[in-house]
Amino acid sequence: MSAVRGAENAGETPPRARVPALIVTHADLAQALVRAAERVVGTIEDVTLLSNEGLSRDDLEDSIETRVKDWKDGGLLLTDFWGGSCHTCGSAAARRHGEVVIVTGVNLPLLLDYLYNRDRLNAPELAERLQQKGRDSIRVQRGVPA
């Protein structure tokens, strides 16, 4: 029935598959970010969290690999900072999985933007958007705002 319905509504854009995300951070940063985001948007589903705490580099890489290996259409690996163990192990795992895109510097505005747009954009498009969102969310303010 859905195929027939799609043919009837040929002008409509078919829904995209949700872009999966794995947030890999030091300590419990990923859990804290998701808890904060849930205060804004409610319960969050389909986001996987991983801490590097207590994991060797090999174990961290294996843990990332296990979580992204079934992403048929790619996904996003969100890490806390460039060059850290979460990023380098993620990079090694992503290299073996085509459209897994890494975005470093995960913060609350970036995570919220991901949640609002993960059903609308593909992984590379979403990664570009999130990079800009992360940059734009960092501001410097001096004195009292007008």
Side-chain angles (χ1 to χ4, degrees):
M1 174 127 180
S2 61
V4 173
R5 176 171 283 192
E8 292 172 0
N9 298 322
E12 292 181 18
T13 304
R16 286 188 182 260
R18 174 173 283 174
V19 175
L22 170 60
I23 305 174
V24 185
T25 63
H26 290 76
D28 64 349
L29 179 59
Q31 291 81 356
L33 282 169
V34 169
R35 273 195 316 274
E38 286 182 326
R39 297 285 176 115
V40 177
V41 301
T43 302
I44 295 172
E45 297 176 353
D46 300 330
V47 174
T48 305
L49 311 178
L50 179 61
S51 170
N52 73 340
E53 190 129 346
L55 298 177
S56 70
R57 293 182 79 76
D58 288 340
D59 290 342
L60 181 58
E61 188 175 326
D62 289 344
S63 293
I64 294 168
E65 173 79 26
T66 297
R67 287 162 173 82
V68 303
K69 69 180 179 186
D70 294 328
W71 291 357
K72 294 178 183 13
D73 297 317
L76 295 180
L77 180 58
L78 307 175
T79 68
D80 45 11
F81 69 94
W82 182 271
S85 61
C86 300
H87 170 254
T88 57
C89 291
S91 182
R95 217 175 286 125
R96 296 184 289 274
H97 297 282
E99 287 299 323
V100 174
V101 182
I102 302 171
V103 178
T104 62
V106 64
N107 59 32
L108 186 57
L110 183 154
L111 177 57
L112 292 171
D113 200 80
Y114 161 76
L115 294 168
Y116 288 125
N117 291 290
R118 64 185 175 166
D119 295 321
R120 194 174 68 78
L121 302 170
N122 65 34
E125 293 167 338
L126 190 51
E128 291 296 322
R129 178 183 174 91
L130 297 181
Q131 179 184 30
Q132 191 60 50
K133 185 61 163 186
R135 285 181 179 153
D136 290 348
S137 69
I138 299 171
R139 307 281 177 102
V140 174
Q141 179 178 329
R142 293 191 174 108
V144 180

